[in-house]
Amino acid sequence: MKRKLKMGMIGGGKDAFIGAVHRLAANMDGLIELTCGALSVNPEVGYESGKILFLPDNRIYKTYEEMLQKESELPAGEKIDFVTIVTPNFAHFAPAMMALDLGFNVVIEKPITLTLDEAKQLQQKVEETSLTLCLTHTYSGYPMVKQAKQMVKEGAFGEIRKIIVEYPQGWLSTLSEREGNAQAAWRTDPSKTGKSGSMGDIGTHAAQLAEYISGLKITKVCADLNIVVPGRAIDDDGNVLLKFDNGSNGVLIASQIAAGEENALKIKVYGEKGGLEWHQMEPNTLIVKWSNEPAQIFRAGNGYLGSFAKHNVRTPGGHPEGYLEAFANIYRNFALTIDAKLNNESPTPEMLDFPNTYDGIRGMAFIENVVNSSQSDQKWTDFKI
């Protein structure tokens, strides 16, 4: 890499949790620099946020339209290389489309858009422009998740038979959207978050993780979505039975009213010969189970890991790596891919291992199919895209 890639940010001002996470992740490897931003719909907050981040006045923009247009008019080497979109769900599509139209690569928060149709339009635009779009499904960035995926792909467990994935949280156990919690307010507003609450916010993470590790695709769902907290406008809990394209089955649980839980995402995958288990809150450990042998514990940072895990490990074994490092792995792989393309080189498979528009479409289809299934009297509904 001959220079740092230049990033512009849309959303993510001084009071936004996920914007700060993106900036930390992008900065971790020294490959990316924040160059400009339209950091809030409130121009005063946007300007103040830009000054806090030491952006020059002429690179702090009032709107994303102004930012993208003015950046596109700058000389090569001065303009941004890509834009990161960290706004609520309803404000993903328009800036992403405009960025691609003006020649900028895109990083975007999940879920990719508000609707499946918007996601399809984004994929078509990416294909037309040959630009790169990265979707930040954070959990696929963990080294031991990549180890799990590689072991499954190499046939260590034989054909996969069963997948159990659950993501319980407790932060919406009360009606906190009416108690001044800004994050809860937009995430429980259907006009801003989309058709589903719990399944759109965290169920998509669980579904992506199940498909990512197993290499399988969901083909049928049988869903039960619930509004548990009285007065809430959208589901805060749900259970989904799954069928996969190899004939195997699974269970997915996503709940934001599991009082006392933090971010307890966990997955179990079982094949003919054995299985694996991974917990997001203990991310450096992968438990591997065999039918006729003792269980094994794989740990991040060790030499016996596969190439994809090694590519995403940053420290020697025993030095914990967590959420920020996993997030940074996605940014690093995206940056290395962009740099390779800028130099007319082919990115390696390890570089290209980050979520993209295809994952985004699968995520939006998951939301729509689960909602339709929950509203249907049928036991199973086909997973349609």
Side-chain angles (χ1 to χ4, degrees), residues 362-377:
R362 297 287 304 176
M364 295 311 303
F366 174 79
I367 294 169
E368 295 210 0
N369 283 287
V370 164
V371 170
N372 291 341
S373 173
S374 184
Q375 295 172 348
S376 170
D377 292 329

Side-chain angles (χ1 to χ4, degrees), residues 29-233:
D29 292 287
L31 305 178
I32 296 167
E33 60 181 340
L34 179 65
T35 306
C36 67
L39 300 167
S40 175
V41 292
N42 183 324
E44 292 182 3
V45 174
Y47 179 76
E48 185 177 349
S49 300
K51 297 305 291 182
I52 291 172
L53 296 170
F54 300 101
L55 294 177
D57 285 356
N58 66 334
R59 305 296 282 274
I60 302 172
Y61 299 100
K62 293 181 179 180
T63 66
Y64 77 81
E65 294 96 338
E66 179 191 25
M67 183 185 92
L68 294 173
Q69 188 60 51
K70 288 191 175 181
E71 289 291 318
S72 71
E73 296 167 358
L74 293 174
E78 292 185 28
K79 67 175 70 175
I80 55 174
D81 296 290
F82 72 95
V83 60
T84 289
I85 301 170
V86 292
T87 53
N89 304 356
F90 74 96
H92 287 180
F93 176 70
M97 286 291 282
M98 183 176 179
L100 292 166
D101 276 329
L102 291 174
F104 297 120
N105 301 289
V106 174
V107 174
I108 193 167
E109 255 300 312
K110 52 78 20 214
I112 192 168
T113 51
L114 195 65
T115 67
L116 177 57
D117 181 65
E118 289 179 346
K120 291 178 179 179
Q121 290 183 59
L122 269 187
Q123 183 184 44
Q124 182 177 355
K125 182 64 66 174
V126 167
E127 292 172 351
E128 289 174 359
T129 60
S130 297
L131 293 165
T132 301
L133 187 148
C134 170
L135 181 65
T136 53
H137 270 296
T138 315
Y139 307 109
S140 60
Y142 280 103
M144 301 316 289
V145 167
K146 295 185 182 299
Q147 176 68 19
K149 176 182 176 65
Q150 190 166 1
M151 292 179 73
V152 170
K153 185 176 182 179
E154 292 174 353
F157 307 107
E159 185 167 5
I160 299 305
R161 292 174 167 174
K162 182 82 173 183
I163 300 172
I164 302 170
V165 59
E166 60 181 78
Y167 198 158
Q169 297 175 334
W171 75 293
L172 291 180
S173 294
T174 64
L175 204 64
S176 54
E177 58 265 41
R178 300 185 187 176
E179 299 167 356
N181 188 324
Q183 290 291 323
W186 78 259
R187 290 177 190 274
T188 57
D189 181 347
S191 69
K192 292 180 171 62
T193 199
K195 288 187 175 182
S196 175
S198 60
M199 285 296 162
D201 191 17
I202 58 176
T204 49
H205 274 310
Q208 193 266 346
L209 192 66
E211 292 194 339
Y212 178 77
I213 290 178
S214 70
L216 303 175
K217 301 303 177 191
I218 298 168
T219 57
K220 293 179 181 291
V221 296
C222 177
D224 173 37
L225 303 187
N226 307 289
I227 298 175
V228 175
V229 176
R232 182 156 287 150

